């Protein structure tokens, strides 16, 4: 055991003593919607430097999960503090034996291109997964790529604020800045969710009744409608099971996919900590550790060309652990 | 009876008795999956080698404990250094279909290495060798918040207290270290302020996620087991059949541990606690000798 681990051990032990987490309890991972890419013409590159924050070379004889090299990047520089989200893509990566570490699209893990959020006042740390280097390789000769960044402060018009959001439940929010983007938004209470569920079930029953006696193309359409009704009912069932007491549940219609993300701030503008968002189209759950204060403001971040920037990077002779 | 005649009569009897007692020695241990997790932050990661148990007695093995004596890679790096104040680990439950199986955990070998050698031993808990390993406590729900006891628990220095929900919550709160205690302990061991802050935040997050209150299906227990003699605690019906427990939660260490067993149904009033303890007679030690294990 290293000295550093020895130092951390009592803290971790205290943690284990402190918390009685049931064996089945799983933390719900932040699930940011990957969504479409940033607008085609992003603004000028932000003043951000990219370096390697940490590396995990996971080597295994198992077939699944297979061996993989994960690299987490660190963002520094004048604009790094303004980066709210970032994701990286690698275009070239080789180890010192010459092995190409780029994975084919089929091999790369789903969701590895997800945007990473800034947290605790620190810039996001985007991560990429590459193929496993040769065991005897000591360094990565080259890693080249691009970090895409989202900087909402570059375009204040791209942030729509909804004050006292927790007091506006179960009715569509009237927000001209969102309506102009064809976005409609509703905050759901538990009762609101129950109502949605009842409506979905009623719709499902009505479609099943309609289907009876119909044949051919018309019957096929009814079947499709029924399948969609079933999907919605099952989404609502999962929503009920997934939503925590403190979570903010939103019903979102965004046909143009203009929304980038949601976050909450307290009355003094301080961010309210979330541990991720979960998408169950058309619902979105913002995970919260504590109840939302009545004065909290919801910030809807929109995708605008000015708020995106790309940072190309080239790193050489990166030591492997 | 003349001694020669006695020997002749006893010999076949001894032959009949010996196989069940020593059959566990036919258990052979080999290496299964190997995983080398190499982090740039050397506090984490390491090499793990899954252990495969083969032999006719493996089906009777219900728990195992691995003791590594030495481990080296083929370029000479030492992969196991015992801690000065290292306590023996707890036994982990075992069955042939349980995944993942037992494993040895070592430091990461050199990138230049191709193979590793490991020596040590594996202790096997085989309850069929000693009927006193199973201790049953009838109608425990009628005497909550008081320790249950018998001679087997006493000799194992084990104390078990079935708890009411109110007492469980109260003791859990009392046993939880304060932020100040965690900070002091972290400082004592040289953790940085950032590391302590991270640990405290993680504690809050875990408490928010995992602090489920007991339900009417929950069986709540406090154990004191300084020598790690408890292998398992189960809840059984009056007829001895096990009440399935889809979820279990524990917090604390051997000295004081809080156990929450969430059963699939409300336990009947006559349900019993079945405590499995390890005894000297129930253990068999087999050698661990892995040579030339290929590294991924």
């Amino acid at each position: 055991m290293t000295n550093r681990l020895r130092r951390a051990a009592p803290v971790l032990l205290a943690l284990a003593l402190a918390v009685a987490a049931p064996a089945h309890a799983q933390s719900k991972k932040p699930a940011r919607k990957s969504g479409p890419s940033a607008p085609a013409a992003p603004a000028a590159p932000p003043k951000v430097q990219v370096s390697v924050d940490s590396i995990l070379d996971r080597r295994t004889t198992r077939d699944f999960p297979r061996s993989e090299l994960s690299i987490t990047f660190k963002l520094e520089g004048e604009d790094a503090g303004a980066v709210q989200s970032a994701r990286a893509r690698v275009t070239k990566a080789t180890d010192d034996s010459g092995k190409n570490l780029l994975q084919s699209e089929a091999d790369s893990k789903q969701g590895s291109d997800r945007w990473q959020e800034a947290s605790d006042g620190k810039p996001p740390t985007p991560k990429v997964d590459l193929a496993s280097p040769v065991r005897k390789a000591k360094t990565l000769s080259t890693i080249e790529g691009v970090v895409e960044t989202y900087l909402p402060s570059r375009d204040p018009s791209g942030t729509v604020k909804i004050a006292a959001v927790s007091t506006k439940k179960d009715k569509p929010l009237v927000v001209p800045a969102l309506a102009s983007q064809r976005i409609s938004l509703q905050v759901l209470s538990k009762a609101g969710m129950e109502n949605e569920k009842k409506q979905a079930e009623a719709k499902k029953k009505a479609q099943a009744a309609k289907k009876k006696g119909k044949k051919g193309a018309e019957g096929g359409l009814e079947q499709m409608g029924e399948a969609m009704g079933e999907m919605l009912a099952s989404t609502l069932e999962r929503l009920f099971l997934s939503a925590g007491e403190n979570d903010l549940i939103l019903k979102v219609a965004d046909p143009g996919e203009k929304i980038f993300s949601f976050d909450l701030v307290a009355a003094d503008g301080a961010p309210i900590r979330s541990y991720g968002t979960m998408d169950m189209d058309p619902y979105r759950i913002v995970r919260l550790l504590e109840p939302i204060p009545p004065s909290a403001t919801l910030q809807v971040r929109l995708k605008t060309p000015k708020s995106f920037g790309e940072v190309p990077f080239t790193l050489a002779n990166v030591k492997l652990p | 009876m003349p001694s020669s005649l006695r020997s002749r009569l006893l010999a076949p009897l001894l032959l009949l008795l010996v196989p069940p007692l020593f059959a566990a020695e036919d258990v052979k241990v080999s290496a299964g999956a190997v995983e080398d997790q190499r982090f740039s932050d050397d506090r984490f990661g390491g090499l793990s080698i899954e252990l495969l148990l083969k032999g006719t007695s493996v089906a009777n093995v219900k728990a195992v404990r691995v003791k590594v004596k030495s481990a080296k890679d083929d370029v000479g790096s030492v992969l196991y250094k015992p801690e000065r104040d290292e306590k023996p680990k707890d036994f982990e439950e075992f069955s042939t279909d349980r995944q993942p199986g037992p494993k040895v955990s070592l430091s990461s070998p050199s990138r230049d290495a191709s193979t590793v050698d490991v020596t040590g031993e594996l202790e096997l808990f085989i309850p069929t060798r000693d009927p006193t390993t199973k201790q049953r406590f009838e109608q425990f729900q009628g005497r909550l918040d008081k320790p249950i006891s018998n001679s087997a628990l006493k000799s194992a220095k084990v104390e078990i207290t079935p708890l009411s929900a109110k007492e469980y919550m109260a003791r859990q709160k009392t046993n939880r270290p304060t932020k100040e205690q965690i900070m002091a302990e972290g400082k004592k061991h040289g953790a940085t302020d950032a590391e302590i802050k991270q640990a405290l935040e993680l504690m809050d997050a875990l408490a928010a996620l995992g602090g489920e209150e007991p339900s009417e299906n929950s069986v709540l227990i406090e154990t004191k087991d300084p020598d790690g003699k408890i292998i398992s605690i189960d809840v059984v019906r009056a007829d001895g059949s096990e009440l399935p427990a889809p979820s279990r939660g524990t917090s604390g260490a051997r000295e004081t541990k809080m156990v929450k067993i969430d059963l699939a149904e409300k336990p009947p009033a006559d349900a019993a606690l079945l405590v499995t303890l390890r005894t000297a007679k129930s253990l068999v030690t087999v050698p661990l000798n892995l040579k030339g294990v290929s590294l991924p």
Side-chain angles (χ1 to χ4, degrees):
Chain A
M1 199 188 276
T2 66
N3 283 335
R4 293 177 73 191
L5 180 52
R6 264 197 292 276
R7 287 203 318 261
V11 182
L12 294 172
L13 177 67
L15 267 177
L17 289 169
V19 182
H24 68 127
Q26 301 262 330
S27 75
K28 283 127 191 167
K29 276 200 91 176
R32 163 174 275 288
K33 196 173 187 176
S34 176
S37 301
K47 289 172 185 152
V48 169
Q49 286 85 52
V50 180
S51 60
V52 171
D53 180 65
S54 63
I55 299 182
L56 165 59
D57 182 8
R58 189 179 165 280
R59 317 185 67 84
T60 179
T61 56
R62 287 183 202 277
D63 294 331
F64 184 82
R66 60 195 157 73
S67 298
E68 204 164 48
L69 182 75
S70 301
I71 303 176
T72 304
F73 295 104
K74 184 160 57 178
L75 306 184
E76 290 170 305
E78 202 178 309
D79 292 335
V83 178
Q84 188 194 281
S85 307
R87 65 178 178 184
R89 63 171 192 274
V90 172
T91 50
K92 185 180 177 190
T94 52
D95 68 19
D96 56 13
S97 76
K99 183 181 174 186
N100 174 14
L101 306 181
L102 284 187
Q103 304 195 85
S104 69
E105 211 157 292
D107 286 343
S108 75
K109 240 188 290 181
Q110 267 195 354
S112 59
D113 64 342
R114 282 182 181 179
W115 291 85
Q116 301 287 317
E117 296 284 344
S119 69
D120 294 333
K122 288 180 189 159
T125 51
K127 188 180 135 228
V128 291
D129 297 317
L130 301 172
S132 188
V134 169
R135 175 159 193 100
K136 289 190 192 300
K138 299 288 192 308
T139 59
L140 298 174
S141 313
T142 319
I143 318 169
E144 286 177 23
V146 172
V147 172
E148 294 171 78
T149 57
Y150 178 68
L151 303 93
S153 58
R154 280 186 159 194
D155 185 4
S157 70
T159 298
V160 180
K161 297 183 179 185
I162 301 159
V165 67
S166 64
T167 64
K168 296 171 179 170
K169 287 180 177 168
D170 300 328
K171 46 191 175 210
L173 298 169
V174 182
V175 186
L178 294 181
S180 68
Q181 303 285 338
R182 294 192 299 140
I183 294 170
S184 71
L185 208 60
Q186 192 174 336
V187 180
L188 292 179
S189 65
K190 283 265 176 197
M193 271 164 59
E194 186 66 57
N195 193 32
E196 293 272 314
K197 199 175 151 195
K198 274 183 194 157
Q199 280 181 21
E201 277 163 2
K203 203 171 168 187
K204 193 173 128 187
K205 272 184 197 162
Q207 269 157 347
K210 256 190 189 177
K211 191 186 138 194
K212 274 188 181 175
K214 290 194 175 173
K215 284 177 188 171
E218 204 183 349
L221 279 174
E222 292 300 335
Q223 268 183 346
M224 211 160 77
E226 192 189 1
M228 283 172 75
E230 269 173 26
M231 259 169 61
L232 187 63
S234 115
T235 299
L236 279 155
E237 196 59 55
R238 282 188 291 131
L239 188 70
F240 260 92
L241 294 171
S242 310
E245 275 303 309
N246 302 323
D247 295 347
L248 177 72
I249 300 146
L250 299 165
K251 187 177 180 186
V252 184
D254 177 21
E257 300 195 341
K258 295 287 174 77
I259 297 174
F260 182 76
S261 66
F262 295 96
D263 55 86
L264 287 154
V265 288
D268 61 0
I272 293 175
R273 278 187 62 196
S274 156
Y275 60 101
T277 57
M278 192 173 182
D279 290 349
M280 287 185 195
D281 210 20
Y283 305 96
R284 201 169 291 191
I285 306 174
V286 182
R287 303 287 198 189
L288 297 164
L289 293 168
E290 286 169 10
I292 306 169
S295 58
T297 296
L298 175 69
Q299 302 195 126
V300 184
R301 311 284 194 179
L302 301 176
K303 293 171 189 167
T304 65
K306 267 206 251 174
S307 53
F308 287 93
E310 289 195 343
V311 185
F313 65 90
T314 302
L315 305 167
N317 298 320
V318 176
K319 193 173 174 269
L320 283 167
Chain B
M1 192 188 291
S3 66
S4 59
L5 179 59
R6 195 163 53 216
S7 308
R8 278 204 302 274
L9 288 173
L10 283 176
L13 189 64
L14 278 172
L15 281 173
L16 282 174
L17 286 173
V18 166
L21 284 177
F22 298 103
E25 287 181 359
D26 78 346
V27 173
K28 296 277 179 281
V29 187
S30 60
V34 181
E35 190 163 312
D36 186 10
Q37 293 221 21
R38 313 181 69 91
F39 278 89
S40 47
D41 182 338
D42 62 6
R43 285 178 299 176
F44 307 109
L47 180 75
S48 68
I49 304 171
E50 186 187 23
L51 300 178
L52 303 177
L53 274 59
K54 297 250 167 66
T56 50
S57 309
V58 171
N60 295 326
V61 177
K62 299 298 173 201
V64 298
R65 178 161 69 181
V66 185
K67 280 185 183 170
V68 175
K69 284 181 183 159
S70 71
K72 265 187 183 182
D73 66 23
D74 58 352
V75 295
S77 318
V78 175
L79 310 180
Y80 176 73
K81 284 179 195 155
E83 292 286 307
R84 225 176 3 172
D85 52 354
E86 196 171 271
K87 281 185 184 172
K89 283 189 279 182
D90 283 334
F91 275 72
E92 53 184 302
E93 286 188 56
F94 175 86
S95 70
T96 46
D97 52 3
R98 189 182 170 98
Q99 287 293 334
K103 62 179 184 183
V104 289
S105 297
L106 307 167
S107 305
S108 271
S110 161
R111 286 198 84 92
D112 288 322
S114 303
T115 61
V116 293
D117 294 343
V118 184
T119 65
E121 57 188 33
L122 199 61
E123 288 176 280
L124 312 175
F125 170 68
I126 304 176
T128 48
R129 291 171 58 91
D130 182 0
T132 70
T133 54
K134 300 269 181 197
Q135 298 293 322
R136 192 175 153 133
F137 298 91
E138 305 293 342
Q139 302 191 353
F140 66 96
Q141 294 173 102
R143 41 194 166 126
L144 299 177
D145 304 332
K146 286 176 204 143
I148 50 175
S149 188
N150 69 8
S151 57
L153 292 189
K154 269 184 196 153
S155 68
K157 294 184 202 156
V158 167
E159 189 179 297
I160 295 175
T161 311
L163 297 172
S164 60
K166 190 181 160 195
E167 188 61 24
Y168 174 83
M169 299 295 276
R171 290 193 193 192
Q172 206 182 32
K173 211 172 168 184
T174 316
N175 293 342
R176 185 174 293 174
T178 62
K179 287 187 177 181
E180 290 72 25
Q181 282 171 326
I182 294 172
M183 284 164 73
E185 193 65 16
K187 288 270 178 212
K188 203 165 83 185
H189 290 81
T192 64
D193 287 345
E195 284 168 339
I196 293 171
K197 187 172 171 263
Q198 272 180 355
L200 289 171
E201 282 172 0
L202 188 60
M203 187 181 84
D204 285 345
L206 287 173
L209 290 168
E212 273 177 38
E213 291 198 5
S215 73
E216 61 173 14
N217 293 1
S218 306
V219 170
L220 309 163
I221 299 161
E222 184 187 71
T223 64
K224 293 181 193 250
D225 179 22
D227 298 330
K229 292 285 177 81
I230 299 174
I231 298 286
S232 62
I233 301 179
D234 298 297
V235 187
V236 294
R237 296 183 187 90
D239 65 4
S241 60
E242 193 181 325
L243 282 156
S247 153
R248 282 167 184 264
T250 60
S251 64
R254 282 181 188 172
E255 283 68 26
T256 303
K257 194 181 275 185
M258 306 296 287
V259 182
K260 180 165 162 270
I261 305 171
D262 290 316
L263 301 170
E265 59 188 77
K266 188 182 171 185
D270 58 358
L273 270 190
L274 187 64
V275 179
T276 307
L277 298 169
R278 70 180 159 93
T279 60
K281 226 165 115 183
S282 62
L283 297 183
V284 168
T285 303
V286 294
L288 173 68
N289 196 5
L290 307 175
K291 285 221 174 290
V293 178
S294 292
L295 289 168

